[in-house]
Amino acid sequence: MTTNVTEITVIGDDDTGLVAGVTSLLFERGINIEDLDQAVRDGVFRMYLAVDTSEMVCTEATLREDLHDLGDELGLDVQVRFPADRETQQIAVLVTKESHCLEALFEAWANDDLGADIGVVIGNHDDLQPLAEHYDVPFHDIGDDGGQQNEDALLDLLGEYDVDLIVLARYMRILSPNVVFRYEDRIINVHPSLLPAFPGAEAYRQAVEEGVRVAGVTAHYVTTDLDQGPIITQRAFDVPDDADLAEMKHRGQPLEADALLEAVKLHLNGDVSVHRGRTSVRENGTGYQLGLPDELEEFTPDRPVDGIGSVVANDQ
C-alpha cells in the first residue's frame, strides 16, 4: 500500500467516457496522476488512481466535493483517501463460525501489536458475536438464515466504519466485484492450502484425497478471481500417512491464524506492495516470516546442484 499519495477509487456501471471524465477533472485542478489501473468484471467498472495532490489548486474538501458531483453526474461511486486519512487505520474483520483467526487478531490488538484498530466485526452468522462483545467491538450479522450475505448492508457498514482494511478471518463467502473493486489490495484472506494448489472449497479435504505429504495455508489479497490473488505469506506442515480431515484442520488452523496475522501486519506497516499480480516486500520487511522458518534451512541439502559435475570434470 502506498501511503504518500492520494488514492481515488471509482466504481460504477461500465460506460464510455468514464476515464476521460475523471482524469480531465484532476488535470484541471493541477493534480498529477502517478498510477492508474482500470478493469471491468461482470459489467462493473473499476478505476484506481494514485495521485499527487501536493500542488493542486483547490482544497481537499473541494476536490472531494467535485469528484462526488462528477460521480453523481456519471453514475459513479467515487472514494477519495488522502494520506492523512490513514494515520489510524480501521480494520473490519469478516467472519463465519470459526474463531481461531479472529482470536489471533483480537489478541494482537489487545497487546498493542497490530498497529491499527479493529473497528467492527461483520458476520454472515452470529456465532462469533460473543467473542466480539468480549473485546467491546461492534458486531453486525449480515447473513440470512442460510448464511447468504447482504452485500448492500456490508458496503454500508464498511462506509460507516470508514474501513481501511478488510480481513477475511475464515469468512466462508465469496465477495462480488462490487465489493472487491472498492477495496482492491485492501482485502486479505487466508486459505487453507498452499496456493495455487487446492483453490476453492474444502481445501483440506482435497489435500487428504490427493495424498499430499506437505500441506499448508496461504494469506493473500482478494481479487475477483477466486483464490488467485497476490500471495503475501504462507505456512506449511507435514501430513502424517494416516491423516484425516480432523487432523489436517488441527495442524492447519494455528498456521492459518499465524499467516493471516503476519500478512495483516505487513500490509498495515506498508511493508508489502503489489505489482502485476505479485507481492514484494520492501527494505524494512526483513523481520517477517513469509514462508518456512529460517531454522529449516539447515535441513535443506545444498548439493548436488546443476553444474558441479562439469566443474569436477574440468579439474581432471
Side-chain angles (χ1 to χ4, degrees), residues 303 307-316:
R303 59 178 300 177
I308 289 181
S310 61
V311 171
V312 173
N314 291 334
D315 287 342
Q316 293 178 349

Side-chain angles (χ1 to χ4, degrees), residues 3-82:
T3 58
N4 61 348
V5 298
T6 296
E7 298 173 309
I8 301 173
T9 304
V10 182
I11 305 290
D13 293 335
D14 188 28
D15 200 355
T16 59
L18 301 181
V19 175
V22 176
T23 56
S24 296
L25 184 149
L26 298 176
F27 173 76
E28 292 167 359
R29 284 149 186 78
I31 296 170
N32 182 50
I33 298 174
E34 298 189 352
D35 186 28
L36 186 154
D37 184 59
Q38 67 180 88
V40 177
R41 175 60 67 90
D42 297 337
V44 179
F45 168 82
R46 184 270 303 165
M47 180 169 62
Y48 167 85
L49 304 99
V51 303
D52 181 2
T53 54
S54 61
E55 298 183 5
M56 66 179 177
V57 295
C58 65
T59 65
E60 293 184 359
T62 298
L63 179 61
R64 286 187 195 273
E65 182 178 353
D66 290 347
L67 284 170
H68 290 158
D69 289 345
L70 178 65
D72 291 341
E73 178 185 337
L74 298 178
L76 301 171
D77 178 19
V78 183
Q79 301 175 0
V80 186
R81 301 170 72 238
F82 292 97

Side-chain angles (χ1 to χ4, degrees), residues 63-224:
L63 179 61
R64 286 187 195 273
E65 182 178 353
D66 290 347
L67 284 170
H68 290 158
D69 289 345
L70 178 65
D72 291 341
E73 178 185 337
L74 298 178
L76 301 171
D77 178 19
V78 183
Q79 301 175 0
V80 186
R81 301 170 72 238
F82 292 97
D85 296 340
R86 301 187 291 271
E87 290 179 354
T88 301
Q89 299 185 72
Q90 295 293 316
I91 298 174
V93 185
L94 274 58
V95 298
T96 296
K97 295 183 177 182
E98 297 180 11
S99 66
H100 53 286
C101 288
L102 180 60
E103 290 178 21
L105 291 165
F106 271 143
E107 183 176 349
W109 181 50
N111 292 330
D112 294 325
D113 193 31
L114 198 56
D117 288 333
I118 299 177
V120 62
V121 177
I122 303 171
N124 63 323
H125 293 279
D126 62 2
D127 296 58
L128 300 185
Q129 183 169 352
L131 182 57
E133 291 176 345
H134 175 76
Y135 284 92
D136 199 26
V137 173
F139 182 94
H140 296 270
D141 182 2
I142 60 166
D144 60 18
D145 291 341
Q148 182 61 46
Q149 64 198 4
N150 182 332
E151 282 203 343
D152 289 337
L154 173 60
L155 288 171
D156 287 343
L157 288 168
L158 296 175
E160 176 184 344
Y161 287 93
D162 196 20
V163 169
D164 295 288
L165 175 66
I166 302 169
V167 180
L168 308 186
R170 299 299 288 129
Y171 184 62
M172 308 304 289
R173 287 291 173 183
I174 298 173
L175 300 176
S176 77
N178 198 33
V179 176
V180 175
F181 278 169
R182 283 174 163 80
Y183 295 90
E184 189 138 10
D185 296 339
R186 292 193 285 144
I187 307 175
I188 297 177
N189 180 49
V190 63
H191 182 75
S193 81
L194 290 173
L195 291 174
F198 311 131
E202 301 288 345
Y204 286 138
R205 186 182 302 278
Q206 293 181 60
V208 171
E209 292 174 351
E210 293 294 333
V212 300
R213 295 302 185 184
V214 176
V217 305
T218 303
H220 64 97
Y221 284 111
V222 173
T223 65
T224 54

